[in-house]
Amino acid sequence: MAGNKTFTMIKPDAVENGHIGAILEQITASGFRIVALKLTQMTKNDAEEFYAIHKERPFFGELVEFMTRGPIVAAILEKDNAVEDFRTLIGATNPEEAADGTIRKKYAKSIGENAVHGSDSDENAQIEGAFHFAGREMF
Ligand code: RTP
Ligand code: MG
């Protein structure tokens, strides 16, 4: 059975461009309940650990540089079928390929700077949520 939680980050580009409010509004209007939320900034070590799965990819250095250049909004979201439904809501990694109305279509400028993160499995949602939040910050 699919889990009911996912983890997201509003990435530095979308924070810089003033889209925090609009993105959180679209997320909650789409039926997700916010169970943890904060503005924070990842260190280089944090980003290298968070994205360790991509460390051999050619874009890894750029990705770490981007994700650490300013604050992000981290959140844990709850909804039935959360991981899959949230990835549908954000759209394809490359905003040019993202469906109309998706968060990446509306707010992302490029495949690298693509406005939001969404966990890709129930297991990673759990790991990523625990990476950013202590138990007493989850409601
Ligand atoms: P995310 O993990 O952020 O939700 O994105 P995703 O699953 O759609 O994409 P993934 O393959 O996991 O890639 C993670 C992030 O790396 C950056 N990226 N840059 N320059 C490039 O070709 C490239 N490809 C990926 C993006 O920020 C992507 O979201
Ligand atoms: Mg991913």
Side-chain angles (χ1 to χ4, degrees):
M1 201 190 88
N4 68 345
K5 288 204 179 64
T6 192
F7 171 78
T8 187
M9 294 181 286
I10 301 175
K11 296 184 179 183
D13 59 328
V15 174
E16 286 159 9
N17 292 327
H19 299 314
I20 295 174
I23 291 173
L24 289 177
E25 171 59 26
Q26 185 166 352
I27 289 170
T28 54
S30 302
F32 293 86
R33 188 172 82 86
I34 295 170
V35 298
L37 181 70
K38 69 176 149 196
L39 190 68
T40 184
Q41 184 164 0
M42 288 202 280
T43 65
K44 187 162 181 281
N45 277 351
D46 290 335
E48 286 174 353
E49 185 181 337
F50 188 90
Y51 284 112
I53 191 159
H54 295 308
K55 68 173 182 295
E56 306 304 333
R57 308 279 286 276
F59 58 79
F60 184 67
E62 258 175 51
L63 175 60
V64 169
E65 189 72 23
F66 163 54
M67 287 302 298
T68 59
R69 81 172 183 218
I72 59 158
V73 173
I76 300 173
L77 306 172
E78 186 178 79
K79 183 185 181 297
D80 288 348
N81 202 37
V83 165
E84 188 185 348
D85 286 1
F86 191 71
R87 286 180 69 90
T88 300
L89 179 66
I90 66 179
T93 309
N94 184 347
E96 287 176 16
E97 292 163 12
D100 282 348
T102 59
I103 293 173
R104 282 172 169 162
K105 184 67 163 198
K106 288 159 74 174
Y107 302 112
K109 293 288 186 299
S110 69
I111 189 169
E113 301 199 3
N114 59 4
V116 278
H117 166 79
S119 301
D120 61 10
S121 67
D122 292 341
E123 185 191 3
N124 284 336
Q126 208 283 327
I127 292 168
E128 292 170 0
F131 184 91
H132 281 276
F133 293 100
R136 65 185 156 75
E137 297 177 305
M138 301 177 193
F139 297 90

